[in-house]
Amino acid sequence: MEYFLQQLINGITLGAIYGLIAIGYTMVYGIIGMINFAHGEIYMLGAFISLIAYLITTTIGGGSVAIGLLVALAVTMVFTALWGWAVERIAYRPLRGAPKLAPLISAIGMSIVLQNFTQISQGARVKPLPPVIKGGVTLMQSEHFTVSLSYLQIAIVLLTVALMAAFTWVITRTPLGRAQRATEQDMKMAALLGVNVDRVVSTTFVIGAALAAVAGLMVTLYYGVIDFYIGFLAGIKAFTAAVLGGIGSLPGAMLGGLLIGLIEALWSGYFSIEYKDVAAFSILVLVLLFRPTGLLGRPEVEKI
Amino acid sequence: MAATRSITWRGALTDAFVGGLVAAALALPMLGFRLVDSALALSVGFRLDWVLWAALVVFAGRLALNLLRMTGGLPDLRLGERLSARMGNTRHWASWAMIGFATVLPFLPFSDRSLVDKATMVLIYVMLGWGLNIVVGLAGLLDLGFVAFYAVGAYSYALLSTTFGWSFWVCLPLAGLFAAGFGVALGFPVLRLRGDYLAIVTLGFGEIIRVILQNWQDLTGGPAGISGIPRPTLFGLPFLARAPEGGQTFAEFFGLKFSGDHRVIFLYFVILMLALLTNLFTLRIRRLPVGRAWEALREDEIACRSLGLNPTTIKLSAFATGAMFAGFAGSFFATRQGFISPESFTFIESAVILAIVVLGGMGSQVGVVLAALLLVGLPEWFRELQQYRMLAFGGAMVLIMLWRPSGLLSSRSPTISLGGGK
């Protein structure tokens, strides 16, 4: 029981991180119908930028952790969002209206470029960061096992929930969100009605990248090690999460992220840690077999 | 698109300036600072001059591009279209010329061992590209895990030959069959899915296969892989310096002086033959009912269904056929390397093969060759540049896509069409 609870806590933390990345995938897919393969790399850039920003601010600011983290969070979101914007502008926008596979290949190319760019500019070695937020609360204690909830885990989950709330508010209540939803439903019609489609798509990429940046910062703090290759697997899993929840659906992305995180944590807790990626993908296949549009996805109606 | 807008000097300069500014902002965190890991802790180094350089490079590049546009001197972007239009008449010729050139390549005066080796590598990708072309180009199924079947082929040959001592020529068809079997087994549950769902599931399968190869120590040797995989023989004649007892080597049989080049050239011809076989198969099957059904399915699934075709079986056959050729290519890869490990079957391979198919122009056989030369051949030459190689590779993928969104040679229309068609 204690063990299960601990895995549950770990899984939810992991799921929050995946969910934040998954939102970027699901939004971009919803609006322009492409798999943004470079999104995992954007998250990786976020992790690197946050590490750099944190180290610089603590050096200048005299080592205050709280200020360092807050500044790093803001700086990371801004710069990573800029990267996300630039990737869309360079590699995807010229391909709007091109055959369906063209943006996908361009995205894969972009992902290779970003990965190798980071490897060259920051070195291939793993970058370690000693724990920044220490301590936690002990929830339950038995003879064999102690269930603990670290402050970092609390912070990650709270921040994710806050971001989700803010994000949902933006999408459902603001003019920007309305334009976004309109573009998602019908790009051409939205353009005819005076929505600046290009700007909406850019904003989508910017928001997605900013959320991925937060995930990058969280992972840097949570695992304490990053390298230029982390974007690939996290990207695939987040995309899996998006598909699992029903691609194009925002609550679905969150739910999918949470599920993937839980599956991974429970699987590695109870079965084997080597096959945890296999477990996530197998669940995906099973879900798609019975609900081909994901858990919360709308069934696709095909008109002739 | 470019020539219609008139651009003023002022506009060009502002645009370039903004470009430079953005580049500086992008470069600031990633190039301007560098993470230095020393023994004590991680620290940050500065190299802000790099940011300046990045900004200047982008500024100059952007300005040059704008000026070219202003003077109308931008190279004609429709070069490829004209090329493929003209190729229409000469395509037949061109392909024969290419086959002829490929046949004599090892004997040309300027070719040496490394060239033939590189050509072999390119041909493996040509073959894989042609195999995937059946799935993606003809049947229109997006497969992001093609490397899984390549891996199955490679491992089945490696295991069969090291365990039972069977020869390459016995194992080759078996490896193809295994891969096709995997294609059916994996494809059966997922082929109901459409488009991008299929893509992510195939990607997942690719990763699953790799993880299994990596962790099933008893069978696959884990991350260490399998080594000592036997080399192929020519009707039982091995390419060795000295024959095993009671046998003859290739060099002895033909009265040649032994040379390591013989094996390299032999391998080259094996893969050339296998690749041409794939090509011939594809060209022929396009005209058979099943091939026509693939193309019809790609064009319109609903129409197919209403005409009584069963989409699942058709998709499955395309999936299995593509997988079979990947299996052949895989067992060739295993016998050429003599050593395989899960390292060789990562997602990036799937991406490269898919890129070859899409860059070539989906469904175009000659396009696949061109794209493979461009994507695999060129980087092989620049192997010395090591880390910049993959950077250039990814950049090339993006640039080619921007330049020719429908591939180097434009996508082919269905082989057969009603009224006014070919």
Side-chain angles (χ1 to χ4, degrees):
Chain A
M1 183 61 208
E2 285 83 9
Y3 189 62
F4 177 76
L5 197 63
Q6 183 69 67
Q7 297 305 331
L8 209 63
I9 292 171
N10 296 347
I12 289 173
T13 316
L14 204 58
I17 296 176
Y18 285 147
L20 280 179
I21 312 174
I23 287 207
Y25 278 110
T26 215
M27 277 206 315
V28 167
Y29 190 89
I31 205 159
I32 51 176
M34 71 166 284
I35 305 176
N36 179 12
F37 239 95
H39 192 61
E41 262 52 59
I42 294 290
Y43 147 83
M44 181 269 297
L45 285 177
F48 270 92
I49 294 175
S50 71
L51 185 54
I52 292 173
Y54 174 74
L55 287 176
I56 290 176
T57 38
T58 42
T59 320
I60 297 172
S64 161
V65 170
I67 296 174
L69 282 179
L70 282 179
V71 173
L73 183 67
V75 168
T76 310
M77 281 175 87
V78 169
F79 279 102
T80 314
L82 189 65
W83 273 96
W85 175 84
V87 165
E88 194 267 338
R89 191 73 187 73
I90 294 168
Y92 306 152
R93 188 178 294 181
L95 288 175
R96 210 161 298 152
K100 205 167 173 288
L101 280 181
L104 180 74
I105 298 297
S106 176
I108 294 176
M110 210 63 209
S111 139
I112 297 176
V113 167
L114 291 180
Q115 227 177 68
N116 286 279
F117 168 73
T118 312
Q119 184 186 5
I120 292 168
S121 67
Q122 301 292 343
R125 302 237 319 256
V126 167
K127 307 280 179 277
L129 179 74
V132 174
I133 303 179
K134 297 189 195 89
V137 283
T138 307
L139 287 184
M140 221 194 269
Q141 203 158 15
S142 70
E143 290 166 42
H144 314 288
F145 201 81
T146 315
V147 182
S148 62
L149 176 64
S150 70
Y151 293 137
L152 180 60
Q153 286 175 322
I154 299 175
I156 286 178
V157 172
L158 282 184
L159 185 56
T160 306
V161 170
L163 279 172
M164 285 300 143
F167 179 69
T168 314
W169 180 77
V170 167
I171 292 296
T172 51
R173 294 272 187 276
T174 61
L176 173 71
R178 201 181 311 128
Q180 213 264 351
R181 280 177 290 143
T183 313
E184 184 180 337
Q185 278 177 10
D186 191 331
M187 193 182 266
K188 201 176 277 172
M189 196 62 213
L192 284 174
L193 293 176
V195 174
N196 187 344
V197 171
D198 276 344
R199 187 181 296 159
V200 170
V201 174
S202 283
T203 323
T204 306
F205 272 84
V206 164
I207 295 177
L211 292 179
V214 179
L217 174 72
M218 288 173 174
V219 155
T220 311
L221 296 175
Y222 193 52
Y223 287 124
V225 282
I226 55 170
D227 62 37
F228 69 98
Y229 201 64
I230 56 168
F232 174 66
L233 208 57
I236 288 188
K237 280 192 197 144
F239 185 67
T240 307
V243 173
L244 187 62
I247 197 151
S249 146
L250 294 175
M254 246 3 258
L255 179 70
L258 210 56
L259 281 177
I260 293 283
L262 282 174
I263 292 165
E264 221 182 287
L266 292 176
W267 187 278
S268 35
Y270 283 101
F271 301 101
S272 67
I273 201 156
E274 288 93 6
Y275 287 102
K276 65 175 183 178
D277 302 338
V278 173
F281 287 126
S282 313
I283 300 284
L284 173 77
V285 173
L286 281 180
V287 169
L288 287 184
L289 281 183
F290 295 108
R291 276 196 66 89
T293 46
L295 291 173
L296 299 182
R298 288 177 297 254
E300 218 171 293
V301 182
E302 199 162 339
K303 297 193 186 104
I304 306 168
Chain B
M1 170 178 101
T4 49
R5 234 184 315 158
S6 66
I7 303 169
T8 58
W9 264 100
R10 218 188 134 101
L13 265 174
T14 342
D15 180 71
F17 185 71
V18 171
L21 219 59
V22 171
L26 287 178
L28 180 66
M30 292 306 285
L31 284 179
F33 303 102
R34 195 166 61 91
L35 291 166
V36 188
D37 32 350
S38 63
L40 284 170
L42 206 61
S43 61
V44 179
F46 297 88
R47 44 175 187 201
L48 293 171
D49 49 327
W50 285 35
V51 178
L52 199 67
W53 284 116
L56 278 179
V57 166
V58 171
F59 176 76
R62 195 81 205 166
L63 193 64
L65 200 70
N66 284 336
L67 291 185
L68 269 177
R69 267 184 207 164
M70 253 169 74
T71 51
L74 202 66
D76 189 357
L77 288 172
R78 272 157 309 196
L79 180 76
E81 259 152 55
R82 281 196 317 214
L83 192 74
S84 54
R86 203 180 307 158
M87 284 278 283
N89 317 322
T90 50
R91 185 170 275 180
H92 205 65
W93 262 88
S95 25
W96 280 110
M98 274 160 100
I99 294 174
F101 178 74
T103 317
V104 295
L105 177 72
F107 307 112
L108 290 178
F110 59 82
S111 61
D112 54 3
R113 190 175 172 148
S114 80
L115 180 87
V116 177
D117 234 16
K118 280 170 190 150
T120 311
M121 208 60 215
V122 172
L123 276 174
I124 293 182
Y125 281 94
V126 169
M127 179 167 176
L128 286 169
W130 278 339
L132 185 62
N133 212 350
I134 296 176
V135 184
V136 180
L138 292 187
L141 304 168
L142 180 52
D143 185 350
L144 286 179
F146 199 59
V147 79
F149 307 123
Y150 185 44
V152 168
Y155 271 86
S156 30
Y157 168 61
L159 289 172
L160 286 175
S161 64
T162 49
T163 327
F164 300 114
W166 293 354
S167 90
F168 175 70
W169 297 107
V170 177
C171 296
L172 185 69
L174 284 178
L177 274 181
F178 273 133
F182 259 81
V184 172
L186 297 188
F188 191 69
V190 300
L191 283 174
R192 310 191 289 141
L193 303 173
R194 308 173 49 91
D196 303 292
Y197 288 96
L198 180 68
I200 187 71
V201 170
T202 48
L203 193 156
F205 273 137
E207 280 300 296
I208 289 178
I209 297 260
R210 195 180 57 80
V211 173
I212 290 176
L213 289 179
Q214 200 142 30
N215 290 309
W216 195 356
Q217 297 274 356
D218 303 337
L219 185 72
T220 63
I226 301 175
S227 53
I229 300 167
R231 306 297 192 156
T233 56
L234 177 70
F235 298 109
L237 299 173
F239 293 85
L240 298 169
R242 188 167 306 153
E245 49 195 297
Q248 265 183 317
T249 68
F250 171 80
E252 283 168 8
F253 186 82
F254 287 99
L256 299 167
K257 199 164 160 293
F258 170 76
S259 147
D261 293 355
H262 290 160
R263 196 185 67 211
V264 175
I265 293 174
F266 172 67
L267 283 172
Y268 172 80
F269 278 116
V270 170
I271 187 66
L272 182 64
M273 196 192 70
L274 285 173
L276 287 179
L277 195 74
T278 316
N279 186 24
L280 189 71
F281 180 88
T282 313
L283 291 180
R284 290 287 136 199
I285 204 163
R286 263 181 191 168
R287 297 175 186 281
L288 289 179
V290 61
R292 291 188 205 174
W294 289 341
E295 288 187 326
L297 196 69
R298 179 191 67 192
E299 299 296 319
D300 194 334
E301 183 165 342
I302 294 182
C304 270
R305 217 181 284 168
S306 42
L307 286 173
L309 296 172
N310 180 353
T312 312
T313 353
I314 298 168
K315 284 178 183 174
L316 211 53
S317 62
F319 216 60
T321 315
M324 180 181 74
F325 286 114
F328 290 154
S331 60
F332 174 79
F333 176 77
T335 194
R336 171 179 181 260
Q337 303 293 102
F339 162 75
I340 49 170
S341 74
E343 287 274 292
S344 316
F345 307 105
T346 51
F347 167 71
I348 197 81
E349 296 293 317
S350 291
V352 170
I353 304 165
L354 184 67
I356 286 173
V357 172
V358 177
L359 292 181
M362 299 225 297
S364 158
Q365 299 288 91
V366 183
V368 167
V369 180
L370 291 182
L373 276 173
L374 215 61
L375 279 187
V376 183
L378 273 185
E380 285 287 322
W381 286 109
F382 297 109
R383 213 167 245 295
E384 296 77 39
L385 295 175
Q386 277 300 341
Q387 46 180 356
Y388 294 98
R389 194 172 70 101
M390 283 312 282
L391 193 67
F393 174 79
M397 258 162 91
V398 176
L399 287 181
I400 298 176
M401 238 38 278
L402 294 184
W403 175 52
R404 302 266 316 148
S406 53
L408 291 171
L409 301 181
S410 49
S411 307
R412 56 172 293 118
S413 44
T415 309
I416 313 264
S417 58
L418 259 182
K422 310 186 177 180

